[in-house]
Amino acid sequence: MLSLVCDTNRSVEAGCTHDYENVRFCADYGAVLSDPSIDAVALATPAVTHFEMAKAALEAEKDVFVEKPLAIDVQHGEAVVALARATRRILMVGHILRYHPGILKLQQLIRDGVLGKINYLYSNRLNIGKIRTEENILWSFAPHDISVMLALLNEMPNRVSCQGGGYLNHDVTDVTLSHFDFPSGVQAHIFVSWLHPVKEQRLVVVGSEMMAVFDDTAEQKLRLYPHRVEWKNRVPTAVKANAEIVVLEDREPLRSECEHFVECVMSRTSPVSDGAEGLRVLRVLDACQRALVDGVITLESMPSQRPNERPYFVHESAYVDNGAEVGAGTKIWHFSHVMKGARLGKGSVVGQNVNIDGGTIIGDNVKIQNNVSVYTGAVIEDDVFLGPSCVLTNVTNPRSQVNRHSLYETTRLKRGCTVGANATIVCGTTVGRYAFIGAGTVVTKDVPDFALVVGNPGRQVGWMSRHGHRLGAPDESGVRQCPETGYRYREVEPGVLRCLDLDDNAPLPGELSTGTRSYKDIKQYSTHESTASRS
């Protein structure tokens, strides 16, 4: 996957050549952006450069991974997020703790109610290490902890205060203590310093049922403490209990983060730490920075953070659980339910009487029609259409008497595919990009890209264009043509169809994103042309 390393410091070229076989090196960022073989860039540069470099990459139609923070100015952050949305490129921010097995497990425990009602949390990120001059400790250390707190609580603070001091350089703050009040009543603080004798990276979450300690410097990184408080003679008394070690998946967070970016680039799905999440963190950082000078920053000072203003629409009869993630511009209609732990992307439409389970991942611009249940284990990429009353399952052999919650099977619907009304997709299968599943079809095995599948059990009976028209027989060169757009398609190998005129992951040109001729009209025209040619 790695093709090229770019660094203005030529002294690192020898090490790069030694460590990465067949990887090119250059010192000119402009040359990287003009290289058509480069699909995505990862920016590990000083924070002050993030905006301009990310903006240039997006304008060059590259997907972008940018280290935290997204930018150092809120308006710049808003601009780069808007640009990524307009160009339909992947924008991911390096909030590495969002991919840490300990944080992922803690997030699950909170969603499942194991800790009870969350009352308070605090984080210490302390070290004696590299002391920066281009950014203060708040912007260098705190983004990690802010991103985790926002993810665990799924809400923005409505009141921020911050104190700190610069001791080595009066203009650069070395130590800060930030305090946050959240609309739900939860309070939190973040203590960061690069003038500390020992390294400490600890997050404590205090719930009504349990307390959790995440310590990234310890061997056992996540522990639960079932301490409780008993009232004796009207006096609260702490009753301590032994810690419970939580077994975590053995995965390196940096590797998981990098793999997630590559997966999102390949599947065209929105990352966990996407631009919108990076912008939320940036806004909180900005509030902390202003609070260092102005004192407490209240809701009135953060108008874009009002917690009751949702960036998406929910009908009054529908319900979105706390802990669900819903993207901007999405619409959720009558009597539908999005459960905690579900991820629903931007600009999607959820019709009436739809249920979306926790643990599902749904991309951008997805259309889910009436009476559909999306069960845990489903991964639905961007631009997918789910017809009315279609069925997605997640266990091959369900029994009411046998609990198989830990055995849910993944069903993946890849970008741009269509599932017709009343069709059933048996779990464990993958429906390829722009495939078309006819109404009432039962899919029992994987479906290739662009395939037209009908019947029970489903069988492939032809190919469909990206615009949803059945492709006719190939010409002498093996090319099939979409009757609406003229785009050409060819089997690049047996059973593998590709569009010759547009990359499968590229957005449709604006003039082709609105249909101009109905399916019936094109079918009648094709039939007439065929009859005329025979006569």
Side-chain angles (χ1 to χ4, degrees):
M1 287 292 183
L2 181 61
S3 174
L4 184 148
V5 173
C6 178
D7 199 309
T8 56
N9 182 2
R10 281 283 186 182
S11 65
V12 305
E13 181 175 0
C16 169
T17 304
H18 178 270
D19 294 340
Y20 304 107
E21 186 178 357
N22 300 323
V23 172
R24 294 174 290 154
F25 180 91
C26 81
D28 181 7
Y29 184 54
V32 175
L33 300 186
S34 62
D35 188 337
S37 70
I38 303 296
D39 298 315
V41 298
L43 303 177
T45 59
V48 293
T49 69
H50 287 179
F51 167 64
E52 291 294 346
M53 295 185 73
K55 177 174 177 288
L58 292 169
E59 289 174 339
E61 298 185 342
K62 312 292 187 187
D63 296 316
V64 176
F65 173 97
V66 57
E67 279 295 349
K68 56 78 188 170
L70 173 62
I72 58 172
D73 179 275
V74 171
Q75 289 185 336
H76 284 169
E78 291 172 341
V80 77
V81 170
L83 179 59
R85 185 180 302 116
T87 57
R88 300 200 70 174
R89 308 311 303 179
I90 300 298
L91 175 61
M92 178 170 164
V93 184
H95 296 154
I96 191 170
L97 287 180
R98 294 296 307 274
Y99 306 92
H100 195 297
I103 295 300
L104 293 174
K105 185 64 175 180
L106 182 56
Q107 199 169 4
Q108 178 188 338
L109 292 171
I110 292 174
R111 282 200 306 261
D112 294 344
V114 174
L115 273 60
K117 179 180 181 296
I118 304 304
N119 296 316
Y120 174 64
L121 62 163
Y122 69 87
S123 176
N124 292 344
R125 185 168 296 272
L126 316 169
N127 202 0
I128 179 72
K130 182 178 180 181
I131 299 168
R132 303 178 186 272
T133 57
E134 71 275 5
E135 62 189 27
N136 65 27
I137 184 65
L138 182 69
W139 291 82
S140 182
F141 277 21
H144 293 301
D145 306 283
I146 292 173
S147 71
V148 168
M149 286 188 177
L150 298 186
L152 295 181
L153 298 176
N154 196 42
E155 58 179 340
M156 293 287 287
N158 56 357
R159 193 170 184 269
V160 175
S161 61
C162 186
Q163 295 179 318
Y167 306 104
L168 301 180
N169 184 330
H170 180 71
D171 296 327
V172 180
T173 306
D174 303 305
V175 179
T176 63
L177 177 64
S178 305
H179 186 89
F180 308 91
D181 292 297
F182 289 87
S184 62
V186 177
Q187 296 195 22
H189 80 239
I190 295 175
F191 177 34
V192 291
S193 171
W194 51 38
L195 293 179
H196 201 264
V198 295
K199 184 175 183 178
E200 181 178 341
Q201 296 178 0
R202 180 179 297 165
L203 169 69
V204 177
V205 182
V206 179
S208 60
E209 301 298 324
M210 281 194 179
M211 303 177 186
V213 176
F214 168 72
D215 188 344
D216 204 17
T217 62
E219 182 177 355
Q220 307 295 340
K221 298 190 181 299
L222 183 60
R223 294 172 181 260
L224 300 181
Y225 292 83
H227 300 330
R228 66 183 189 278
V229 176
E230 293 184 354
W231 289 79
K232 299 179 180 179
N233 297 322
R234 301 182 67 187
V235 176
T237 304
V239 180
K240 297 183 179 180
N242 294 329
E244 302 174 5
I245 298 173
V246 180
V247 178
L248 302 176
E249 185 180 1
D250 185 18
R251 283 186 63 84
E252 168 59 41
L254 180 58
R255 182 182 182 89
S256 296
E257 182 181 50
C258 293
E259 288 177 345
H260 182 65
F261 177 61
V262 173
E263 180 183 339
C264 290
V265 168
M266 298 295 289
S267 65
R268 313 311 298 170
T269 51
S270 183
V272 171
S273 55
D274 62 3
E277 201 247 4
L279 185 56
R280 288 191 292 269
V281 172
L282 178 58
R283 284 169 171 159
V284 175
L285 277 169
D286 176 73
C288 292
Q289 181 66 50
R290 288 187 285 125
L292 273 173
V293 179
D294 301 331
V296 176
I297 300 298
T298 62
L299 178 64
E300 287 71 29
S301 301
M302 297 171 64
S304 60
Q305 305 307 310
R306 289 190 174 96
N308 293 326
E309 289 184 359
R310 287 169 161 166
Y312 53 90
F313 169 80
V314 180
H315 188 268
E316 61 183 9
S317 66
Y319 197 82
V320 176
D321 288 351
N322 291 329
E325 297 181 29
V326 181
T330 287
K331 297 179 180 180
I332 300 168
W333 290 101
H334 308 67
F335 310 112
S336 290
H337 184 192
V338 181
M339 301 178 70
K340 64 180 181 180
R343 287 183 55 213
L344 179 57
K346 302 181 289 291
S348 296
V349 177
V350 177
Q352 298 182 38
N353 194 33
V354 171
N355 184 79
I356 299 176
D357 273 1
T360 54
I361 301 174
I362 301 174
D364 300 338
N365 193 39
V366 172
K367 305 295 189 295
I368 305 177
Q369 301 301 303
N370 300 349
N371 308 314
V372 176
S373 290
V374 182
Y375 294 115
T376 302
V379 178
I380 300 173
E381 298 182 1
D382 294 351
D383 305 319
V384 168
F385 180 93
L386 297 182
S389 303
C390 69
V391 177
L392 307 179
T393 67
N394 61 3
V395 174
T396 301
N397 57 335
R399 291 290 198 193
S400 179
Q401 293 177 323
V402 181
N403 185 324
R404 291 194 170 95
H405 290 173
S406 64
L407 302 174
Y408 289 148
E409 300 168 55
T410 299
T411 299
R412 182 179 293 273
L413 306 182
K414 303 192 76 173
R415 180 180 181 181
C417 71
T418 291
V419 179
N422 295 299
T424 298
I425 311 297
V426 175
C427 58
T429 56
T430 296
V431 177
R433 289 176 294 182
Y434 307 107
F436 200 101
I437 310 301
T441 299
V442 178
V443 174
T444 59
K445 60 183 180 180
D446 291 351
V447 174
D449 296 350
F450 297 103
L452 171 61
V453 174
V454 299
N456 182 7
R459 65 192 187 283
Q460 184 177 351
V461 296
W463 299 104
M464 295 289 276
S465 76
R466 188 161 166 179
H467 272 69
H469 294 289
R470 187 166 184 173
L471 297 171
D475 61 20
E476 61 277 2
S477 63
V479 171
R480 306 167 192 262
Q481 197 167 37
C482 174
E484 182 173 7
T485 65
Y487 280 172
R488 298 166 303 146
Y489 296 79
R490 176 190 289 139
E491 287 188 63
V492 295
E493 57 184 87
V496 180
L497 191 78
R498 288 288 177 265
C499 181
L500 303 180
D501 299 312
L502 186 67
D503 184 273
D504 294 345
N505 290 322
L508 287 172
E511 67 274 12
L512 294 180
S513 61
T514 300
T516 57
R517 298 177 63 191
S518 69
Y519 184 85
K520 182 178 179 181
D521 175 52
I522 288 178
K523 184 177 180 181
Q524 289 176 338
Y525 175 78
S526 300
T527 302
H528 173 74
E529 286 290 295
S530 176
T531 303
S533 65
R534 288 197 299 269
S535 61

